[in-house]
Amino acid sequence: MESPYFNKRTTRSSGIGKVKVENEQLPLKKSANGTTQKPFSRKRKVEVKYEETMVGQPQNVKQEPPVWEPPMWREQLKNIYSMRKFRNAAVDSMGCDVISDTLASPEVFRYQVLLSLMLSSQTKDQITSAAMEKLREHGCSIDNILQTSDKELGELIYPVGFWKKKVEYIKRTSKILQEEYNGDIPDTVEKLCKLPGVGPKMAYLVMKCAWNQIVGIGVDTHVHRISNRLGWVKKPTKQPEDTRKELQDWLPREYWRDIDELLVGFGQQTCLPVGPKCYECLNKEICPVGKSNKKMPSSKKTKKEEMKEETE
């Protein structure tokens, strides 16, 4: 049955009127000749009710709370892009995709990207690059690595950090790739993280550099440190994985591809782990750490820090 109510636009800019119309049926009447006349009805008063609402707005829609974001992040990021315009940090010439063989088959290239990231943990880029160069000269494919003795493999990758443990990880991972992935590497973060010695940071970077898929941000110690210093997290985070989740909550996706390499290079050149060069940073006035650390150190102290950085 059709409802007696219907929506009707009113001249009020913020109201929708609901109109109810009822018919009143009058009693039967007899004519002078004794016949009964057909009943008829007449309109009763029309009741108009108004609901205060915005015309054209959906009703009963739950409003999502605004997404938190750092107040100065756009200006801070713009300044970092400016400071990194030459792209001449170690990561720019020794990144995992740069030191892998781009002329090799896609499967071998992806395998080398994975291995370079496994070697890079707790290791400076220069040492990782040298180790990958020796591996490539030796023959850096799954079959060849599995045929290489642990002793020789250790000599090839030494002195990367925790090289003995990494020999074990590389051998076990290579065996899994050969038996379960037909000589290729996994194509999801979840599967990559199940490989020995592979964590979330490596997995997200493998997805970007080996598979050309941006599914998250690779957060290493540089990205973790700088994000906390700039106030890019709601509360200070203790682990890189916590920082990754915070960044992905607010940072627009169009920046995800570039942000890790951008911040790593910035951390290698300016925002150092010890003795950050706040005095020459463009963000010194809008960075919580930079505001209290703008004084230029003595030349003697600066030279000591540079020597320490070179030997690390």
Side-chain angles (χ1 to χ4, degrees):
M1 180 181 294
E2 185 178 352
S3 171
Y5 288 91
F6 59 93
N7 289 336
K8 179 180 179 181
R9 297 285 179 181
T10 70
T11 55
R12 296 174 63 174
S13 60
S14 62
I16 294 180
K18 284 190 174 180
V19 182
K20 183 176 181 180
V21 180
E22 294 182 352
N23 293 330
E24 178 184 19
Q25 188 166 325
L26 299 179
L28 299 177
K29 290 185 178 181
K30 288 187 178 182
S31 61
N33 58 9
T35 60
T36 302
Q37 295 179 342
K38 291 183 179 181
F40 66 94
S41 60
R42 67 185 178 188
K43 304 288 186 182
R44 296 186 65 184
K45 289 184 178 180
V46 177
E47 179 184 5
V48 179
K49 294 181 179 180
Y50 290 97
E51 293 180 356
E52 292 298 325
T53 182
M54 295 299 292
V55 176
Q57 292 294 321
Q59 302 301 305
N60 301 322
V61 176
K62 186 178 179 180
Q63 295 294 324
E64 294 293 334
V67 177
W68 177 89
E69 63 178 36
M72 302 293 290
W73 76 269
R74 292 186 185 277
E75 187 174 350
Q76 291 167 334
L77 185 59
K78 181 181 177 182
N79 288 337
I80 294 174
Y81 269 112
S82 179
M83 289 183 280
R84 289 275 286 122
K85 62 183 177 182
F86 296 114
R87 297 289 173 138
N88 55 1
V91 68
D92 300 309
S93 58
M94 302 177 193
C96 62
D97 51 341
V98 179
I99 60 178
S100 301
D101 187 1
T102 56
L103 299 179
S105 66
E107 296 82 3
V108 171
F109 171 74
R110 289 192 284 266
Y111 175 66
Q112 292 183 8
V113 168
L114 175 60
L115 252 59
S116 67
L117 285 165
M118 293 174 70
L119 294 174
S120 69
S121 176
Q122 301 294 310
T123 306
K124 293 184 74 68
D125 287 342
Q126 294 86 341
I127 296 176
T128 302
S129 178
M132 279 302 298
E133 185 177 355
K134 289 188 287 184
L135 283 175
R136 286 175 56 182
E137 290 175 355
H138 172 74
C140 192
S141 64
I142 292 176
D143 292 339
N144 204 38
I145 293 299
L146 287 174
Q147 292 171 11
T148 303
S149 67
D150 290 3
K151 181 177 181 299
E152 184 177 6
L153 183 57
E155 292 172 350
L156 289 169
I157 68 173
Y158 180 85
V160 299
F162 305 99
W163 63 273
K164 291 182 180 180
K165 195 68 177 176
K166 288 176 182 177
V167 167
E168 177 191 342
Y169 288 155
I170 290 172
K171 280 296 188 72
R172 288 170 55 196
T173 292
S174 298
K175 189 67 174 175
I176 292 172
L177 300 182
Q178 185 187 64
E179 294 178 349
E180 299 182 20
Y181 293 95
N182 197 28
D184 208 337
I185 67 173
D187 59 358
T188 67
V189 169
E190 182 182 6
K191 292 177 182 177
L192 284 164
C193 286
K194 291 180 180 179
L195 297 174
V198 177
K201 181 208 79 171
M202 297 182 199
Y204 286 110
L205 291 176
V206 167
M207 292 302 297
K208 182 183 83 166
C209 299
W211 290 108
N212 195 31
Q213 295 181 25
I214 308 300
V215 295
I217 301 172
V219 176
D220 73 342
T221 55
H222 291 290
V223 179
H224 172 62
R225 178 181 71 256
I226 294 167
S227 296
N228 275 271
R229 284 180 176 176
L230 289 173
W232 284 8
V233 290
K234 292 180 185 178
K235 296 180 180 179
T237 53
K238 295 183 178 181
Q239 299 297 327
E241 182 63 4
D242 297 328
T243 302
R244 178 189 67 80
K245 294 174 182 177
E246 289 264 357
L247 287 176
Q248 289 182 190
D249 277 344
W250 65 265
L251 186 67
R253 287 188 71 96
E254 58 262 31
Y255 295 106
W256 287 16
R257 176 179 290 276
D258 202 35
I259 194 66
D260 53 88
E261 186 176 312
L262 186 77
L263 294 185
V264 169
F266 179 59
Q268 291 173 339
Q269 294 180 312
T270 305
C271 198
L272 306 175
V274 179
K277 301 176 182 179
C278 300
Y279 55 90
E280 66 180 34
C281 180
L282 297 179
N283 285 324
K284 60 179 175 290
E285 299 294 344
I286 54 176
C287 170
V289 174
K291 286 180 179 179
S292 58
N293 193 33
K294 291 183 290 186
K295 186 177 179 181
M296 187 171 181
S298 64
S299 58
K300 187 177 180 180
K301 184 178 180 181
T302 303
K303 188 173 182 180
K304 186 178 179 181
E305 289 172 353
E306 288 175 351
M307 290 176 65
K308 183 180 179 181
E309 185 184 357
E310 288 175 0
T311 56
E312 285 180 345

